[in-house]
Amino acid sequence: MSSVTVESVVKTPALIGEGPVWEESEQTLLFVDIAGEKIHRWSSTSNQIQSVETGDTVGFVVPRESGGYVAGVGRSILAVDWSSQMMTPLAKVDEDKLNTRLNDGKVDPFGRLLAGTMAKESPHGQIERKQGSLYSVNSDLAVTRLLSQVDISNGLEWSLDQRTFFYIDSLSLTVDAFDYEPTSGSLANRRVVYRMKEGEGLPDGMTTDVDGRLWVACYNGGRVIHIDPTTGVQLQTVSLPVTKVTSCCFGGPDFSDLFVTSASLGLDQSEKSQQPLAGNTFRVRGLGVKGQPSRSFIG
């Protein structure tokens, strides 16, 4: 295997960088700054960054098949027109609660949007537990609650045969799997496929490679771990120069680059001086594997 390199490519520090999505047609990286209330697009060809302000916390952004994007802002799922910076409501979640916000979201292999919630953080970073849920949004914008009593709804991915859904509720310190029913998108048979080890921090966002293995960002762990979900074996660790590693996705011309987001919010002055790149987005090369193209929401 070639040597692994880690390079800071988006040097505009985010408070909570999250949810990277590679746009193949434009060779751009789409991601959000949750607490900074912005959606960013970074061009790998021009090294320029464009941004849209969302006016509230933004947990995720994904491409929309009909054009533009769909983002999770506050507790609303919005259509985003990039050129006009206009946002149009499509659906709401957690309508029975006022203390939650959308967090991670991703499009499944069939064009549905899955998105989760969590309690809003206190000024000191504390959250009330078991306030979150996981939802699916179909093409007709019907919203279905798949899970409740969630602490911090985070990483979402699917197996190559589309029959297994991988999920992270961060405070459980596990990566879980469910049987996934393609027609309805229903979940069954929850089980643990990986349990975090001492020093690995909290599991956060994740992605898959073409071999069906998972790459999991480790918040407060300063790394991304590569795991085989069929055996639960950790295959590789990629160390980053920041502790609050939040999510990752594959991209680049041939999908062999791993892009990794990070956060700076919650670091004290001493930690910030030791981690001057906190909040940046990184490109990891030389992993010897490739990822898959992102999917668009069909609603």
Side-chain angles (χ1 to χ4, degrees):
M1 182 184 291
S2 58
S3 61
V4 174
T5 63
V6 178
E7 175 192 8
S8 170
V9 290
V10 184
K11 303 178 192 301
T12 304
L15 293 174
I16 308 175
E18 258 286 6
V21 176
W22 183 255
E23 297 185 284
E24 185 177 10
S25 61
E26 302 288 333
Q27 293 291 295
T28 54
L29 186 72
L30 191 67
F31 66 102
V32 302
D33 182 349
I34 297 176
E37 302 180 358
K38 289 179 181 176
I39 302 169
H40 295 301
R41 280 179 65 185
W42 172 74
S43 168
S44 63
T45 53
S46 69
N47 197 31
Q48 298 298 304
I49 188 166
Q50 299 175 324
S51 305
V52 169
E53 295 189 7
T54 56
D56 199 348
T57 56
V58 52
F60 67 87
V61 61
V62 296
R64 191 180 190 188
E65 193 172 79
S66 58
Y69 304 105
V70 172
V73 178
R75 287 179 290 119
S76 297
I77 293 167
L78 308 177
V80 180
D81 182 289
W82 192 266
S83 58
S84 68
Q85 304 206 353
M86 290 288 293
M87 285 173 269
T88 308
L90 298 177
K92 286 204 79 163
V93 299
D94 278 1
E95 294 194 80
D96 55 335
K97 295 179 179 177
L98 297 174
N99 68 325
T100 61
R101 66 164 179 85
L102 281 156
N103 202 40
D104 209 349
K106 194 169 282 188
V107 178
D108 82 355
F110 310 97
R112 292 183 201 92
L113 172 66
L114 269 71
T117 61
M118 58 178 282
K120 292 179 183 177
E121 300 92 336
S122 74
H124 303 292
Q126 303 300 309
I127 67 158
E128 187 177 352
R129 297 191 65 164
K130 305 299 179 188
Q131 297 300 300
S133 297
L134 177 67
Y135 295 92
S136 70
V137 185
N138 292 334
S139 58
D140 61 359
L141 303 180
V143 177
T144 303
R145 181 181 268 149
L146 300 175
L147 297 172
S148 58
Q149 299 286 303
V150 173
D151 288 323
I152 302 177
S153 188
N154 250 319
L156 314 98
E157 263 303 347
W158 287 263
S159 60
L160 296 181
D161 67 2
Q162 306 171 351
R163 295 286 182 156
T164 303
F165 170 58
F166 300 109
Y167 180 62
I168 290 171
D169 179 357
S170 291
L171 297 189
S172 71
L173 299 177
T174 59
V175 179
D176 294 350
F178 295 80
D179 296 342
Y180 197 69
E181 208 289 305
T183 305
S184 67
S186 62
L187 307 179
N189 188 27
R190 186 172 192 166
R191 64 264 188 200
V192 173
V193 296
Y194 184 79
R195 203 173 296 277
M196 301 295 281
K197 299 179 176 61
E198 182 85 25
E200 287 181 345
L202 300 178
D204 201 329
M206 65 177 162
T207 193
T208 54
D209 58 32
V210 293
D211 298 319
R213 290 164 175 164
L214 302 175
W215 296 78
V216 180
C218 301
Y219 186 82
N220 287 336
R223 68 195 80 179
V224 174
I225 55 174
H226 182 202
I227 61 176
D228 185 338
T230 59
T231 62
V233 172
Q234 185 188 131
L235 305 170
Q236 189 176 0
T237 298
V238 178
S239 296
L240 281 295
V242 294
T243 54
K244 295 185 181 298
V245 178
T246 54
S247 193
C248 55
C249 78
F250 282 97
D254 62 354
F255 287 92
S256 64
D257 297 340
L258 185 70
F259 290 94
V260 183
T261 51
S262 71
S264 59
L265 188 67
L267 296 176
D268 61 30
Q269 284 305 121
S270 172
E271 290 168 326
K272 285 179 180 177
S273 66
Q274 293 166 11
Q275 300 176 47
L277 302 181
N280 288 12
T281 299
F282 301 87
R283 179 171 57 200
V284 183
R285 286 179 161 167
L287 294 171
V289 297
K290 294 182 179 182
Q292 304 173 80
S294 60
R295 296 177 290 265
S296 298
F297 176 51
I298 61 173

